[in-house]
Structure formats: structure tokens, C-alpha cells
Amino acid sequence: MSKNLLFTTVLFLFATITAFSEVPGGDSLRTRNLKGVTVNGQAIKAARAAQPVQVYSEKEIGTLNALNITDVAKYFSGVTIKDYGGIGGMKTVSFRGMGTQYTGVSYDGIMMSDIQSGQIDLGRFSLDNISEISLTNGQPNDIFQSARMFSSGGVLCLKTKLLDYDKNKSFEGKISLKTGSFGFLNPSFFLAKNFGKKWAFNLSTDAQMANGKYTFLQYYGSSTRNISEVLTRKNGDVKSLRSEINGLYRINRNESVSMKANYYGSERGLPGSITFYNNDDSHQRLKDQTFFSQIHYKNRVSERFRHQYSAKINISDNHYTDVDPKYSTTSGILRDNYLQKEYYLSSTFQYKLLDPLLISASTDWWYNDLNINSNINFKNFQYPTRHTGLANVATKYFSERLTVGANLLYTLTREKVRIGVPAPNRDKLSPTINISYKLIEDTELRIRAFYKNIYRLPTFNDLYYQDMGNNNLRPEDANQYNIGFTYLDTGIPFLSEFAITVDGYYNRVKDKIIAIPRDMFHWSMINKDQVDVKGLDVSVKTSIKVGKSDLVKLKSNYSLQSAKDATVGSDNYGEQIPYTPVHSGSGSISYQHGKWEAGYNMVFSGVRWIGQMTDPRNKMNGYAIHSIFVSTTYKQWNVNAEVIDIFNTQYEVVKFYPMPRRNFRITLAMNLGK
Amino acid sequence: MKTTKFISLLLLTTIFTPLFTSCDSNNNVENPEIGTGVYVLNEGKYLANNASLTYYDFATGFASADLFLDKNNRGLGDTGQDMIKYGSKIYIAVYKSSIIEVIDAKTGISTKSIAMKNDAGASISPRSLTATNGKVYIVLYDGHVTQMDTTNFTLGQKIAVGANPDASVIANNKLYVANTGGMAAVMDSTISVINLTTFTQEKKITVNLNPGTIKADSYGDVYVVSNGNYGSIPGKFQRIEAGTDKVTDINVKVKNFDIVGDNAYIYNFEYDANWQAANKTIAIYDVKNEKLVNANIVTSEIIKTPYCIDVDPVSKDIYLGVTDYKNNGKMYCFTQSGTLKFNFTTGLNPSKVVFIIK
């Protein structure tokens, strides 16, 4: 563990020194040549954002040893990943000490939802058709957005590829095959086609399968001094199919309609947490199917006025089974079925009042229902439905040096149940203000700050889950404060770009919804806990020109999260909240030489606790995971070979869900239409 | 030049930080000698592999946090369901780990771990243990009871009882097993009566829904606390009369109890609006004359939620374990008159006390 950290440090030190040692001696001629290098729009966007935003483009994602969305999210500062291990394990993202439910996930501009748990399993998205992933604290900086985009603690935005109109090219495609350890096989294809100036379509499909049989080292205790055994993970096989079709119709230069239909289906084992001395314990399976379709119309009526409308339908059907002799009255099997639906509508108007002053208004409405049936459980299920309405007014003033934004979000919920008493109606106003100011003319150094109040509505599980649900739960209330600075320099000799952001924040979550036990197996949901989070997010990014056209890219981020239980009277008062490391971060280096690119990525997490800090069994050791890749292109072919966890480090992100150790992946891709 | 230094410094600071966070502090391993005292089985949390064994020594007044781990260099597993002392051994049923752990009562060292499997080879969970005549009877959550020889630890015959049987007790040379139906669509409400001579199920006695704790007095009466459905059907305290098997309701509120001599020691509490335990009491009920002797003997404050009660068969001291289901628990020791003698910290969810008395 510490050996790996040392190695990391030495490697980074070496890379950093090598990269910078040449700079002072650089001759003026070469310096001048590099001054005019264009910095991508993304870097400028990030530097000018009043609400901190971190972005990875498709190209950058390709250098991160990433297989899925959460693999990318690990490289965002302030983010905590929950990864239950393996290809099929659930993966969620949270940030800055706030619960997973505070992270909204937007897919091509429309928010995803899960009314049952409030958590989006990011494991089900593929990177194959993703063009950009970004995380904004608070909300996106663009105010021409649906009201729902303003309703989370932060938004993880996923953007897919769509072929832009190009009169020289009407067809583009990619076929790839990825294979790797644990029986992993992932064929995918992407095809995009334009029909004249008006129509564009794309289709992307990928299938994944894996047997999930990986070995892991299990200690039968809390310490590496305890007896241990190397075991093989069981019941972790997965088969999945994802398919998406997109269409775009450009009515005219200012008006367009886009449509999307997405299907995901999987059948997988849920290996569950490790049970000491009983490694063939889990026989739980999950078969899930999700279908959603969305349509979006936008119209830029004039320079001053624009408006847009969206609609969406989402159906999610999960079948869970567990085979265990304890279900002796039902032939040893438990079957739980969950079906949830959402219908969603949104409209947004934006008007430019004065030249640098925008105002926008948006209204959203959506409807959710949940149906559960089971051969054993949920005999008194209440069949809840919820209407949610949002209205948002936002304004933004921006000039070269100053950006000021504010919005006020109004939320209402109206809930019904078929049996029993529904949750009371909720009406709530929540404001945000933000500011960004360029300190010195001609230097891209800005100071920024924001305040956002947001709340999280109780989910249907919180309110209506059998035995434990509590229909009187209030929404959680969270206040976020952030102050930071951003610096971007494109004039440093030899560096094509240097960007740094530093943000300090304070978050306070009140009325936190927690489960408290009545006995071992019966819990109740209540509003009780309070959490105070003070933290620091630092990110540094630079690209160094080497020789004629070679490029070294360096990226590093660090997060400090002091997330304390602030519940008065709690035994855990003043302790770090579970699963939140005080220190975490990542670093990446990639080197591009002609058609070759190689890179190294490292993710580290400090010690985490899963309960009271006086009990050593609640401690989870820190880890650093190092991975490398090399890729090359030949004509239309592209090959990428990866080694993940090169030092074979055994670690857990979630207690008793061991992660795979060293493993390999190779990707062969063929580009079409190039 | 200046900028470069600044940048290097920043990068380095960012990268160096993990070095300061990966230090591991060693905790002292407690390794006490076993004299006279009590073993407390701590259930731990479900799916957390943190069942543990606390040993409290009467002479030193010292409680070791996890004696099983200290003596065997491995944890008990997930979750500590029941513990009995029989002969020189202590038997522990570990629920999800699906094992019976046999340890030497004098040393705490494991003699044997026995995996519980059904005929198809699937793991099955032990729920409760009783012992008599050289046999330990193991109640299995898949609806069976099996027996284990205490000389060679081999498993014997297995018989079917009701759905998801839980607690068990021996009285009148019979084994009474409470069938909960906890994993069934409809909960059970029967007690299986097993003849220990023939090892066959003689009959099923119907009691209130979802029977939990079951104990017997020296007159052959069996007392049952049922939990109801945690909703419309409330729990009950009932007596199964020796000989006639007649079931009578007893009008005393009981969460859990133990019987020693002619007394049942009963704890009860109610939940307030925030699901915090309130009105915590320990009552004494006379099982010979069938009447409540004292509605509450405890005058000092009891923190958290009562979780187990066991009475020292010799001194008649009353041990009450409490929990908040999240952190380490606490064990109180009261005299018969309700005076607090001592208390000590246990592991998570203290659920059973076994007395090591010379």
C-alpha cells in the first residue's frame, strides 16, 4: 500500500520535474511559436464558471482506463464513488459529503430519475456513445435549462454523440470489440448518418458479458494480521444489452427537433457482500429492463428570445429473485417485482433584456408511480403516485470580467396512495446565487462564489417501503456555500495550457433522512441527522509540448472532505460520516507521440469509516490504484491495451464488496466513413 | 520562472498528500486469561461480519472487546445468533456464516467449526441451540432441527418443524421450537413439540402470531413471547401448561425474559414518536404462583434500547444488555433488588450471556 503510494509520488515527481526542468532554458523562438496555441473551449468554460464545473471529453475519457461512467467520475474532485465491484455491480456517485440523491444525472439535457431509491445506477450507461461527461456543483451555468436541472445538489451531465452537419461527410461509424479478464466481452457499434441538411440519425448498441469470477483476498477480521484466504467471487456473472437511437430534424437554421429512444436490459447475479466462512452464500439474481424515450424541440426565435420544450417517458421493470432454503414455504424462492414509470414535460423561455443580461423561466411537471409485487413481501404495499411541479426563474449578467447569476426554484408535490395515508403535499422555495469575477485584466484569474439551498424529497422507499417507510418524512434541507478561484494560462512557455481551480466549501445538511432500527430486522425512516461538511477541491491540468508535435498531458485533483456528524446528542457526534474519506484524489499522465499514446492513471482514497471510529472494525484502509494503457492507430483501426490495478492491490470501495485486483483489457476498434 | 515553481509546488502538494493519510495505527490486542466471569455474545450487524464475544472478568472487572478474535486471530462471522455452555464447551450459532463454532470455555480457543448445509449442499442458517444428554439441538431457519453429538461433533438426524423456526427450549424431555414464518408470505404461530427420546415431532401447539422468545420453568410450564405482525396484531406473553398444553394469556407486557428458579425476569419498553425506547422496566413474575411480584425493580437510568436479559443461576444477578443497533452496546448488572452492581461495554448488539462460574 505505502509502497504503491511511494511509487506514485516518485513517478509524479519525476514527471513533474522532467516536464518543468526544461522550461527555464527554453529559447524564445520556440516559446513564440507555442504562444498562439488554441486552448479548447472546455478549459475556458471551466475557468469562467461561477458554479464549479469539471469536464471530460470523449478524447480524454479514452485515456482514463475507464470502462464506465463511474470510472470517469473517479477523476472529478470532491466525488465519492460507491462501487459494489465487478462488471454488474451497482455504481453510484455522490459529492461533497452529501447523499447520492443530491447528484442529479442528466442525459442529453433531460434528468434521469428513480423514484424508488433516488439513486441512478451509472453502471447501466456505456461510454461507447458518450461525447462528454461533466459535473457541476449546484447546477449548470447555462440558464437556458429545464427547472429540474436546478433541483439537485449538483448535476452529472452525460452528452452523447450526434453527427453535426458536414457537407463533405454524411456517414460515420465505429465498430469495436473489447475483451478482458473475468470472461469480459463487449462488442459495440455506432453508426451516424445525415440525410441532406435536415435529417441526422444515429444508432448505437453494445452488449456486455462477463462471468465475473475474480479472485480476491479476504481477511477474517479487521486487520491484515488476521487469518486470510484467497477466494473466488461467485454469482457475479452479467449479460446486458444497451441500444439507443437518436434522430435530429433541423426545421430551419434556428429550429430543431431531436428524439431519442433508449433500451437497456440485463440479467445478472448479485454476488452480495462477503459472508465470513460462507462464500457460496448468494443466489440473488436481478433481471432489469429500462426503456426511455425523449423528444426535444428548440427554437431560437431571435437574438433576444429563445424557447424549448421536452417530453419524456421512462419505464423501469426489475425482477429480483433469491434462492435460499429459508424460503421453505415458497419452494425456496423469493420473487420481488418492481415496476416504475415516469412521464415528464418541460418548457423553458429565455430572453435577453439588455445586452449582457439574460432572464429565463422554466416550468416542469412530471408524474411517477411505483408498483411492487412479491410472492412473500409487500403484502400491504400502498401503490403510491406523485405529481411533481417545478417552476424556476433565473437571471444571469455576464461581461468579460464579471458574471452574476441567481435563480429561485419553486417545487410542489402532490401525492396519492391506493391504500392508507399518502405523504403530505410539499411546497418549497429554494434560491441560488453565484458570482465570478476576473481579478486582473488580461490574466485569466478569477474568484468565484456561490450559495445554493436545495432539499431532497423523500423517495418512495423512504415513505412507503414495507414496515420501515414513514409517510411523515420531511424533505432533507441542504445549504451549500462555495468560494474559490480559477486560473488559466496559455502563455507559459512550453505549456499549451495550464489550468488550476481551488474551491473551498461548506455544506450543511439538516433533517437528514435516516433509517433507525426498532429491532435487528425492522427499521423506520425518520428525519434526524445533521451533517456539516467543510472541504477543499483542487484540480490542476496542464499540457506540455515536447519536441515538434508530442504532447504530455498532466491532470491531478485532490479533495479534502471533513464531513462530520453534527447530530446533537448522537454517539457519533463529531465523527466523519461513513464512506467519506478525508483525503482522496487522482492523477493522470498521458504521452502522445504521433499515432501512439500511452498513459498512467492513479486513483487514491484515504481511510474511510463505516461506523463509530472507536471500533477498529469500522475502519476501511486507504488505497491507491494504478493503471496504465497504450494505444495506437493504423489507418482506420485503433487498438488500446490496458492493465488495471498493476500492483494487484486488494481494496474495497464498499465494505465486504472486494474489488477485482489486477486485470487486463484490450479494445480493437474500426472507424467507418473516414 | 516564478510561475513554474509555484506550479510545481502545487502539483507536488496535491500529489504528496496521500502519504500523510496512509499511516495505520496499531491497536493493542487484549488477551485475557479466563477465570470466573461472563461471556457475552454480540450479534453484530447483519451483513457486517462483526459478531463478537466479550469476556468480562469478575476479578479484574475488565471486559475484553473481542475475545474470539484475540484467541483465534479471526472473527466470529455474521451474525451471532445464539450461545450456550454445555460441559466444558461453548457452542455459538452464527447465522449467515451458517456455522456452529465450538470453543473451549476455559481458553476461548475454537475446537471446531461445523458448517450447516442442507441435503442439496446449500448453506442453511442456525437460529438457536439447546443441549441435554450429550446432544446439542440446532434449530435451522430452513424449517428443521438437527442434533449434534458433543463428543465427536458429528451431526445426526434432521427433522422438519414449522416455517423459519427460531427460539427453542427443553422441558419435560421435549424440545419446544417457536415457528415464526418470518420468511413466509403468512407468518407462523405454532410451537413444534419434539420428543427427544424418539426425535420426532409430536405435535404443534398454536399460540399468538410470530412466537419469539421461549423459556421453561422447573415445573414444566413453557412461556412464550410472540411479536405479532408489528402492526395490527400485537405481541403477547403466553404460558403453555405442563401436561395439558393449554395456552393461557398472561397480562404482562414483555419484550424479552429469562427464567431462573421461580422467577421470570422480564424487560419491557415502549417506543416514543422518534422510535426511541422509553419507559424501560425490569419486572419480576412468579412462575410458581403465576403472579407479578414487582412491576419494575430498576430505579437507575438505562441508556439505549434493551436487547437481552440473562440471569446468573447462582447469584441471581440480572444482566441486561442494551444497544442502539449502530455502536458498541452495554451490559448492566443489577441485583435482585434492582441495585446497579456494575456495567461494562460490549460489542454491537449484545444478545446472550453465558456464565463461567466455578
Side-chain angles (χ1 to χ4, degrees), chain A residues 327-339:
Chain A
Y327 305 114
S328 54
T329 60
T330 47
S331 315
I333 189 157
L334 165 72
R335 292 177 201 281
D336 287 345
N337 302 320
Y338 305 86
L339 175 68

Side-chain angles (χ1 to χ4, degrees), chain A residues 181-199:
Chain A
S181 310
F182 329 124
F184 177 63
L185 196 64
N186 173 204
S188 76
F189 77 89
F190 175 81
L191 296 170
K193 174 102 180 103
N194 279 352
F195 295 95
K197 285 183 181 176
K198 292 214 181 274
W199 289 94

Side-chain angles (χ1 to χ4, degrees), chain A residues 300-371:
Chain A
R300 205 177 67 206
V301 178
S302 68
E303 261 309 297
R304 279 186 180 277
F305 181 57
R306 58 178 68 179
H307 54 105
Q308 62 177 353
Y309 308 87
S310 302
K312 178 182 172 172
I313 173 170
N314 187 100
I315 300 165
S316 175
D317 189 17
N318 290 350
H319 297 264
Y320 166 87
T321 56
D322 186 13
V323 174
D324 191 301
K326 71 185 174 190
Y327 305 114
S328 54
T329 60
T330 47
S331 315
I333 189 157
L334 165 72
R335 292 177 201 281
D336 287 345
N337 302 320
Y338 305 86
L339 175 68
Q340 57 169 299
K341 294 195 287 291
E342 176 169 306
Y343 307 98
Y344 169 80
L345 292 172
S346 167
S347 67
T348 313
F349 302 87
Q350 180 180 284
Y351 189 73
K352 194 184 277 182
L353 266 184
L354 308 161
D355 195 28
L357 184 68
L358 298 173
I359 53 163
S360 84
S362 47
T363 48
D364 289 27
W365 166 89
W366 68 96
Y367 166 85
N368 292 98
D369 65 25
L370 174 66
N371 192 338

Side-chain angles (χ1 to χ4, degrees), chain A residues 86-97:
Chain A
I87 308 284
M90 178 157 171
K91 295 160 209 318
T92 63
V93 165
S94 62
F95 66 93
R96 292 186 169 185

